[in-house]
Amino acid sequence: MADRTDFKRSLDSYQAGRGRFRILEVPDLRYLMVDGHGDPNTTPLFAEGIESLYPVAYKLKFASRRELGRDYVVPPLEGLWWARDMEAFTVARDKSRWDWTLMLMVPDWIDPDMVTAAAEEAGRRNRPTRLDDVRLEELSEGRCVQTLHVGPFEEEAEVLARMHDGFIPEQGLRMVGRHHEIYLSDARRTAPEKLRTILRQPVTDR
């Protein structure tokens, strides 16, 4: 039986502490990705994106175990979020203006041909609505600031304001790239006050 890798434990970039902002170097990682726009609570694109990512991710996991003898835990759902005016996140919270990319990390030993085969297999029965929109892409973030938020998604704004307007400029840094969230909890099975979400922001020198 192959050992099973859990990236939440083995990758330092999945580590964060509540109430503490941390500067770290995030390695280049590859993801299954699907894009969308609008309020994640109301647009069907959001749920359809999730429903299209997971079948491919699990087909890859099974193929890796079967063909390569390497098993792993499918990593947590992640999301990149942005808007033309970033105050849509920290002040206005106008979700209708949000753009997003949903992501599931892919181990570095998985090659593109395996991803193609997994997507084809995922589409043979009960084809996901947005399967054709799923792509494999590398994300290069480099230096980032991140923290752990515990609680409802709606209460992230205060933490983000302290990160964006306090900690980052106080460290002589400025924001680049897109706001990144890592969902350590399953929102379908976890009470809102217990949700654990890593909040990440790529930065560079001012």
Side-chain angles (χ1 to χ4, degrees), residues 28-188:
D28 294 352
L29 296 169
R30 293 181 306 150
Y31 293 87
L32 299 174
M33 297 183 177
V34 64
D35 301 322
H37 174 83
D39 187 337
N41 297 313
T42 58
T43 176
L45 292 176
F46 192 81
E48 291 169 356
I50 294 174
E51 293 164 359
S52 298
L53 286 174
Y54 274 102
V56 181
Y58 275 97
K59 295 298 184 185
L60 276 177
K61 166 190 164 65
F62 299 144
S64 177
R65 184 174 62 188
R66 181 178 64 250
E67 299 171 16
L68 306 177
R70 304 188 71 170
D71 195 8
Y72 61 93
V73 179
V74 172
L77 182 69
E78 307 185 36
L80 301 178
W81 299 86
W82 69 100
R84 182 167 297 179
D85 180 357
M86 285 301 290
E87 287 194 354
F89 291 99
T90 56
V91 180
R93 299 294 285 180
D94 183 355
K95 297 178 183 179
S96 67
R97 296 160 54 194
W98 292 3
D99 292 295
W100 39 266
T101 298
L102 296 172
M103 312 188 299
L104 288 172
M105 197 269 283
V106 174
D108 58 8
W109 63 79
I110 299 292
D111 65 39
D113 288 341
M114 292 181 69
V115 175
T116 299
E120 290 175 352
E121 187 178 355
R124 287 184 187 138
R125 296 181 60 186
N126 300 317
R127 183 180 181 83
T129 304
R130 301 196 61 201
L131 182 61
D132 291 341
D133 296 330
V134 175
R135 69 185 186 280
L136 178 68
E137 186 173 310
E138 185 172 85
L139 179 64
S140 180
E141 292 181 296
R143 187 164 31 158
C144 294
V145 173
Q146 69 185 35
T147 189
L148 178 67
H149 171 67
V150 179
F153 300 131
E154 299 299 331
E155 295 180 3
E156 292 178 2
E158 181 181 350
V159 180
L160 292 175
R162 287 192 285 116
M163 178 191 287
H164 295 174
D165 303 328
F167 182 83
I168 289 174
E170 288 167 4
Q171 301 301 310
L173 302 170
R174 62 180 176 87
M175 297 191 300
V176 293
R178 292 169 177 170
H179 170 66
H180 188 159
E181 297 190 352
I182 303 171
Y183 307 105
L184 301 178
S185 306
D186 185 339
R188 300 168 300 174

